[in-house]
Amino acid sequence: LDLESESTITDPNYWKSDTHFSAFNVGLHAQLRERTYNLFILGEPRADIYGDDPFGGEATQGMERFPYNSLNAENVGLSNFADLYGVINQINLMIAKTTETQLLPEVSKNYYLGEAYGMRAFLYFHLLRSWGDVILHLDYTSGSTIDLANILKPASPASAVMEQIKNDISASEAAFGNDYSYKYGKHYWSLGATKMLKGEVYLWSGRQMGGGTTDYTTAKTALQSIISNVNVSLQDDFSKVFAYNNKDNAEIIFSIRNAKDEYNMWDDRFRQNLVPQQAYMTATYCNKEGISFKDLPEGQLNGLIRLQIRYDLYNKAFRDGDTRKDASMTAVYQKQEDGTIKYIAPFCNKYQGVLLDGASQRSFLNDYPIYRYADCLLLLAEAKALLGEDP
């Protein structure tokens, strides 16, 4: 019998209604969320924040290569270009199908395209900064027929990759028009996110790729447009920016959503790399007031430390009185036989999670901010400084 399966989602069966486009857009953001841990690994662990041995004695299992900058051809850290091309291929499919469809109202069609072009530029910007010359895939490959011409490509020079990133940013801006709304929420890409990316990209190309004053000016204009058009403000309490019970706050421009029965932060790899074990925290250690962690939320983390924050960072990274200090790190102490307490080490405290009903350990369901208003202000200050203006 020549019957077409109705339970298999294939290209001929899909893209038949507005709900198909909506569902695919949700899927794109879910796939981006699944790669967010890799984006973290490509960035912060390679700075000078981490690198000491875990204070609880855990084995680092190769994670030390990121802060030590000892990656090489045999120990690449992240294989397959951080698995970003899978998302890019799906974005390419979304762009192609959305461009050609007659099913969607023009407003919805443009908003989807604004999201897709912005996300593609965002991912290629990560590839550019991490690998330099990379392959540019701008068409999709799907179904049982593989288009070898789309797969077997040489890497494009970094200059061509940057040109494509800027073209995608322009395409995203054109599609969004002047629509700065959060049509689907702050955990979906928006024009504000595109403008933040544009500020980042043009500051990078200005300093790293010879763009100079022209690029700095473009970055400045993009960042100022956020201040003029997006309803954003700083939080009075720094810790509230990341709090589980304060999602989509006024400082957030774009974030990664985590939620109960949906997704734990980085697929629970935050717990597996950055917070201490419950057993030794409750049995051995206390806070700076001498209170045992068995009586505090920090005793409910039940994780592992593979990336240890440098011990001296807690006392050297912040000026006295800076309220960001204890909202960023928790200092671990140990009571001595003479009753004094001794400083041991810090661990990340920005994402404290939540203790769900009946649970003995906290679930890391905080949202993960990608772009915040604070980022906008700092990038704008950098642009102004590079232009010789008062930041």
Side-chain angles (χ1 to χ4, degrees):
L1 296 176
D2 188 14
L3 294 177
E4 186 176 22
S5 169
E6 294 185 6
S7 62
T8 301
I9 300 178
T10 59
D11 215 47
N13 295 329
Y14 208 70
W15 313 107
K16 301 294 187 183
S17 71
D18 57 354
T19 56
H20 288 170
F21 287 88
S22 174
F24 202 86
N25 187 49
V26 173
L28 287 180
H29 286 82
Q31 289 198 18
L32 176 63
R33 174 171 65 182
E34 291 169 5
R35 275 72 172 182
T36 309
Y37 172 73
N38 288 351
L39 300 185
F40 163 77
I41 287 294
L42 291 175
E44 187 172 297
R46 300 169 69 192
D48 59 354
I49 297 171
Y50 306 94
D52 287 346
D53 293 332
F55 74 90
E58 295 98 324
T60 54
Q61 294 190 333
M63 294 298 290
E64 77 283 352
R65 289 189 174 277
F66 294 101
Y68 291 173
N69 280 301
S70 59
L71 300 174
N72 54 44
E74 289 72 36
N75 300 280
V76 296
L78 289 174
S79 61
N80 197 28
F81 293 95
D83 202 25
L84 300 186
Y85 278 109
V87 194
I88 289 172
N89 186 64
Q90 294 299 90
I91 292 173
N92 293 342
L93 176 59
M94 181 68 167
I95 290 172
K97 295 300 181 181
T98 306
T99 300
E100 70 186 27
T101 188
Q102 302 299 318
L103 291 170
L104 297 173
E106 201 66 19
V107 172
S108 299
K109 181 175 179 176
N110 287 335
Y111 203 93
Y112 287 142
L113 287 172
E115 289 179 285
Y117 280 117
M119 290 167 65
R120 189 168 74 177
F122 176 72
L123 292 174
Y124 270 118
F125 188 43
H126 279 280
L127 289 168
L128 169 69
R129 288 184 298 176
S130 300
W131 283 278
D133 299 351
V134 294
I135 298 170
L136 281 173
H137 281 305
L138 305 177
D139 300 314
Y140 68 93
T141 297
S142 66
S144 58
T145 303
I146 304 266
D147 180 5
L148 292 177
N150 191 36
I151 294 176
L152 302 176
K153 287 184 174 181
S156 296
S159 57
V161 179
M162 176 56 77
E163 182 180 1
Q164 182 59 48
I165 291 168
K166 291 180 177 179
N167 288 341
D168 278 352
I169 289 173
S170 295
S172 177
E173 290 177 308
F176 277 124
N178 200 40
D179 187 354
Y180 281 89
S181 68
Y182 292 105
K183 192 180 291 292
Y184 309 113
K186 290 188 172 184
H187 50 291
Y188 285 83
W189 197 271
S190 65
L191 179 54
T194 293
K195 295 291 188 181
M196 283 293 299
L197 176 63
K198 187 174 185 177
E200 255 199 313
V201 165
Y202 277 85
L203 282 174
W204 174 272
S205 64
R207 297 197 72 175
Q208 303 293 333
M209 304 182 77
T213 299
T214 301
D215 281 6
Y216 304 149
T217 303
T218 301
K220 174 186 166 184
T221 302
L223 297 163
Q224 286 175 326
S225 70
I226 295 172
I227 298 172
S228 301
N229 295 287
V230 183
N231 185 20
V232 285
S233 60
L234 298 175
Q235 297 289 287
D236 293 332
D237 180 347
F238 178 74
S239 67
K240 289 182 179 178
V241 178
F242 313 94
Y244 168 78
N245 60 0
N246 197 35
K247 297 187 177 194
D248 291 347
N249 60 73
E251 191 168 324
I252 300 299
I253 295 173
F254 175 56
S255 64
I256 299 298
R257 176 55 50 92
N258 300 298
K260 182 177 182 255
D261 300 326
E262 184 178 338
Y263 205 80
N264 275 18
M265 189 170 167
W266 300 339
D267 194 22
D268 224 23
R269 282 173 288 190
F270 178 79
R271 182 198 306 279
Q272 296 162 4
N273 287 286
L274 287 165
V275 296
Q277 296 181 35
Q278 189 166 329
Y280 64 66
M281 283 291 284
T282 56
T284 308
Y285 298 115
C286 61
N287 68 4
K288 58 185 175 183
E289 283 80 34
I291 302 172
S292 170
F293 282 120
K294 74 177 186 296
D295 301 316
L296 298 170
E298 289 85 351
Q300 303 161 347
L301 300 179
N302 201 28
L304 292 168
I305 292 183
R306 306 291 189 203
L307 282 168
Q308 172 65 56
I309 296 174
R310 289 191 292 107
Y311 296 165
D312 63 359
L313 197 70
Y314 183 78
N315 295 313
K316 290 185 178 180
F318 299 90
R319 296 188 179 118
D320 290 339
D322 191 329
T323 58
R324 296 173 301 171
K325 182 175 184 176
D326 289 329
S328 298
M329 294 179 282
T330 289
V332 176
Y333 291 81
Q334 189 174 41
K335 280 190 176 181
Q336 306 298 295
E337 290 185 1
D338 61 3
T340 60
I341 58 173
K342 176 184 177 183
Y343 170 69
I344 302 297
F347 66 89
C348 181
N349 190 42
K350 275 186 178 177
Y351 310 102
Q352 299 182 12
V354 59
L355 192 65
L356 300 172
D357 292 342
S360 61
Q361 66 182 36
R362 302 180 79 80
S363 297
F364 291 99
L365 302 177
N366 308 66
D367 283 1
Y368 180 58
I370 300 296
Y371 288 131
R372 300 160 37 207
Y373 182 46
D375 299 324
C376 177
L377 295 177
L378 289 168
L379 289 169
L380 181 57
E382 182 180 347
K384 288 185 174 183
L386 290 166
L387 289 168
E389 301 175 12
D390 183 356

